Amino acid sequence: MIYSAIRSAVIDYAARGDINSAKVASFLPFAEERIFVGDPETPGLRTQEMMVGPVEQDINSALPTALLSLERVIAIVGSRDRELEFLPSAPVAPYEDVAGSPAWYTVRGRNLVVGPTFTETVQIIYYAQPASPSAEADENAIMRLYPRVYLYSLLVEAAMWLKDAELLAQYLPLFRSAMQGAAFADQQSRRGNAPIRIVADGTVRP
């Protein structure tokens, strides 16, 4: 659903004269933060349409601006790909100046750090925040596939701006339900109807 259609729906659903096109546009950054960053009750949305990579990434350099979270970090060691494990910053620090075959990565600030350090190629696969709409006909993948996520997130922001507890109580549960529905639909589209099994060590396998 294109931006102008979602915006019109927000104005109609809110049914308040002080919620207009300009006001909806001012809600958008906060609504997108709610969608993609999330909160303790509703994790930020991650779908396969948001996945980017593999792309090359310089060590000790800033990660892409649109990055929300890393999915995989892969070191190209000779002719082999080696997936690195995540560790918090402190355990990786002693290995930053030690040359060798990389085993771990961490994120410090917005920089990718690996240990032991090395000079070969690193590739990343990550989730990126979709482009925010600005023009009337703009539409990103989440707006197209899961328009209710944007609709209800904007209505939650409208309710908070209006200080309308009744409106908030109406749309916050609908927003959370839309987020859960989007996550479930994405999971289903990834694996279809293929069965999965959990073995004794807790590993999920096809």
Side-chain angles (χ1 to χ4, degrees):
M1 183 179 286
I2 63 173
Y3 174 58
S4 61
I6 292 176
R7 183 187 61 199
S8 295
V10 171
I11 293 170
D12 290 344
Y13 280 43
R16 290 283 295 267
D18 42 2
I19 300 297
N20 53 33
S21 295
K23 188 57 65 179
V24 173
S26 74
F27 297 152
L28 186 60
F30 306 107
E32 290 189 319
E33 180 181 352
R34 186 180 300 279
I35 293 168
F36 300 115
V37 177
D39 60 40
E41 292 190 41
T42 308
L45 188 62
R46 302 288 185 269
T47 72
Q48 58 190 318
E49 292 78 22
M50 298 166 59
M51 194 173 286
V52 177
V55 296
E56 290 192 8
Q57 170 68 36
D58 291 335
I59 299 170
N60 297 319
S61 296
L63 289 159
T65 304
L67 180 144
L68 292 167
S69 58
L70 285 165
E71 176 70 5
R72 296 175 64 196
V73 176
I74 305 158
I76 312 300
V77 182
S79 59
R80 297 183 297 109
D81 294 356
R82 179 173 184 176
E83 186 163 353
L84 305 187
E85 296 182 17
F86 173 79
L87 281 180
S89 181
V92 174
Y95 296 95
E96 288 181 49
D97 297 325
V98 177
S101 181
W104 309 286
Y105 78 92
T106 193
V107 176
R108 187 175 300 129
R110 292 288 295 183
N111 290 354
L112 179 70
V113 178
V114 304
T117 189
F118 79 130
T119 58
E120 304 298 326
T121 301
V122 169
Q123 294 182 336
I124 60 172
I125 300 173
Y126 65 97
Y127 290 99
Q129 180 165 329
S132 183
S134 56
E136 297 283 299
D138 281 355
E139 179 185 63
N140 62 39
I142 304 305
M143 295 164 69
R144 183 177 70 256
L145 295 170
Y146 314 111
R148 292 186 308 136
V149 168
Y150 265 82
L151 171 63
Y152 293 138
S153 187
L154 284 162
L155 283 164
V156 167
E157 294 302 323
M160 293 177 67
W161 181 79
L162 291 165
K163 297 180 174 59
D164 188 326
E166 184 178 342
L167 201 66
L168 183 61
Q170 179 181 358
Y171 288 118
L172 185 56
L174 290 173
F175 166 70
R176 288 178 174 155
S177 177
M179 289 281 283
Q180 291 169 0
F184 178 76
D186 178 69
Q187 184 184 52
Q188 289 295 101
S189 69
R190 289 179 193 239
R191 71 177 184 88
N193 294 319
I196 59 173
R197 59 190 176 94
I198 301 177
V199 297
D201 64 359
T203 305
V204 177
R205 296 180 181 173

